[in-house]
Amino acid sequence: MLLWLAQNFQQDLSFLRIFNFITFRAVFATMTALAIGLIAGPSVIRMLARLKVGQAVRTDGPQTHLIKTGTPTMGGVLILIAIGISTLLWGDLSNRFVWIVLIVTLGFGAIGWVDDYRKVVYKDPNGMRSREKYFWQSLIGILAALYLAFSVSAPTNLQVIELFFSWVRSGFTLDLPGKADLIVPFFKTVSYPLGVWGFIALTYFVIVGTSNAVNLTDGLDGLAIMPTVMVGSALGIFAYLTGSVTYAKYLFIPHIAGAGELLIFCGAMAGAGLAFLWYNAHPAQVFMGDVGALALGGALGTIAVIVRQEIVLFIMGGIFVVETLSVMMQVAYFKFTKKRTGVGKRVLLMAPLHHHYEQKGWKETQVVVRFWIITMMLVLFGLSTLKLR
């Protein structure tokens, strides 16, 4: 919005040309989201407390978490409001990638809202049933994947439509340009053609998988939000470089026209996340709930697909990956041993992984800060793939 206004008046007021710089707008998007979150935070928390939107803590979880019962949840609404307002203010509203990321983020946020609502209203820690949740996640993920398969390959929406119909006329056999290939980090020219169906499948798993991975990680005060801020900020750097013809050519990464504008969204996400951490740090005054975790995970996955860095997301979001694998391993081993011996056994003391370390005697703050440190190192390693080729 502000970019549009500046462009309309910059001939009379030359200093408004600064709004054309993505980096300038990204900095102010971050500051705006941070300010919105910090200022609106107390009011949102009081409103949630007044509505008695309190967290229903799992009875089979760590006993130390029982004191958190009743802490306001659904605080992810604060994050989404800050991201939305800041992005709409500072972003280029004609950019198609900004809109697809916003739509996916808000779509997954809506799913999380329903899930949280059922938890707090019906006092059911399980919330929305898994099948129902995965259905809506899959619907959004598949639609986003279908659009991104062609929008990543074509510079305008008109060409996206033309490419889509060309694919249909070809009997669904048309190959995508090289920029839609799966890029292997640390190699200059190694990539794997996916085709339309392969791209859709990969994108679906990245978006839905990342959404659920962030949600599983959100189990301790501040545990999920800081890695999200760090990974999102790094993806913003990738977006800026991918959107630049010069930098993309120099770094041997695909140039995706318009991807640089996602730096605005990533900046807004970082600012909103830091503002939320102010109130979510131990002892938390508010939890983000599924409305925040699912939305933020969906956003990270969508951005990673647009900038063609799915494998790098897997590296930088290593904490999210390990947390998810710990749950899968725990459930699979329990079912296997129960079927074979009649008694289910566990690999970990408790899943997800952060609860395992709590059971081993680590304090909550120790787990959180150590996971942050690991994420920071993984993010730096992921960023190194830009030059180590």
Side-chain angles (χ1 to χ4, degrees), residues 50-303:
R50 187 168 61 252
L51 296 174
K52 298 182 179 180
V53 184
Q55 178 70 26
V57 178
R58 290 169 45 188
T59 56
D60 59 342
Q63 296 302 300
T64 54
H65 287 205
L66 294 178
I67 60 173
K68 299 183 180 184
T69 301
T71 301
T73 187
M74 301 177 75
V77 171
L78 176 64
I79 301 175
L80 297 184
I81 291 173
I83 291 175
I85 293 176
S86 184
T87 301
L88 293 175
L89 277 176
W90 296 101
D92 180 359
L93 301 186
S94 66
N95 186 284
R96 57 212 169 103
F97 292 128
V98 168
W99 283 109
I100 188 63
V101 173
L102 276 174
I103 290 170
V104 170
T105 302
L106 296 178
F108 276 91
I111 296 171
W113 172 275
V114 175
D115 192 21
D116 287 334
Y117 182 81
R118 293 183 183 180
K119 288 178 182 177
V120 298
V121 173
Y122 298 109
K123 306 302 179 183
D124 180 5
N126 296 317
M128 185 185 293
R129 295 298 173 257
S130 296
R131 289 184 180 180
E132 184 182 0
K133 183 187 296 185
Y134 287 137
F135 169 78
W136 291 110
Q137 287 180 315
S138 297
L139 180 62
I140 296 173
I142 291 172
L143 291 176
L146 182 62
Y147 175 74
L148 290 176
F150 301 102
S151 64
V152 164
S153 305
T156 66
N157 279 330
L158 180 60
Q159 290 174 300
V160 167
I161 296 172
E162 292 175 352
L163 186 59
F164 172 76
F165 282 110
S166 296
W167 175 61
V168 174
R169 286 193 299 268
S170 70
F172 306 104
T173 60
L174 181 71
D175 289 330
L176 294 173
K179 63 176 66 178
D181 293 352
L182 176 64
I183 298 175
V184 179
F186 301 112
F187 296 93
K188 291 181 180 179
T189 57
V190 178
S191 60
Y192 293 97
L194 296 170
V196 176
W197 293 114
F199 188 101
I200 291 173
L202 176 65
T203 300
Y204 165 78
F205 284 114
V206 169
I207 294 176
V208 176
T210 307
S211 177
N212 286 301
V214 174
N215 194 34
L216 287 172
T217 306
D218 182 34
L220 301 179
D221 297 348
L223 178 58
I225 191 61
M226 195 59 189
T228 299
V229 168
M230 288 189 280
V231 175
S233 299
L235 286 175
I237 295 174
F238 277 101
Y240 179 71
L241 298 174
T242 301
S244 167
V245 176
T246 304
Y247 287 131
K249 183 178 180 180
Y250 173 69
L251 295 169
F252 296 96
I253 56 178
H255 168 60
I256 310 296
E261 198 65 27
L262 291 177
L263 180 61
I264 310 301
F265 181 92
C266 292
M269 182 164 56
L274 290 175
F276 180 76
L277 180 62
W278 185 274
Y279 303 106
N280 185 236
H282 185 77
Q285 297 173 254
V286 64
F287 300 134
M288 75 166 73
D290 287 8
V291 63
L294 291 179
L296 293 174
L300 293 179
T302 306
I303 296 169

Side-chain angles (χ1 to χ4, degrees), residues 358-376:
E358 280 191 293
Q359 296 293 353
K360 287 179 69 68
W362 289 21
K363 294 182 179 179
E364 181 173 349
T365 50
Q366 286 180 307
V367 178
V368 170
V369 173
R370 287 170 181 174
F371 277 32
W372 287 359
I373 294 171
I374 293 171
T375 299
M376 186 181 300

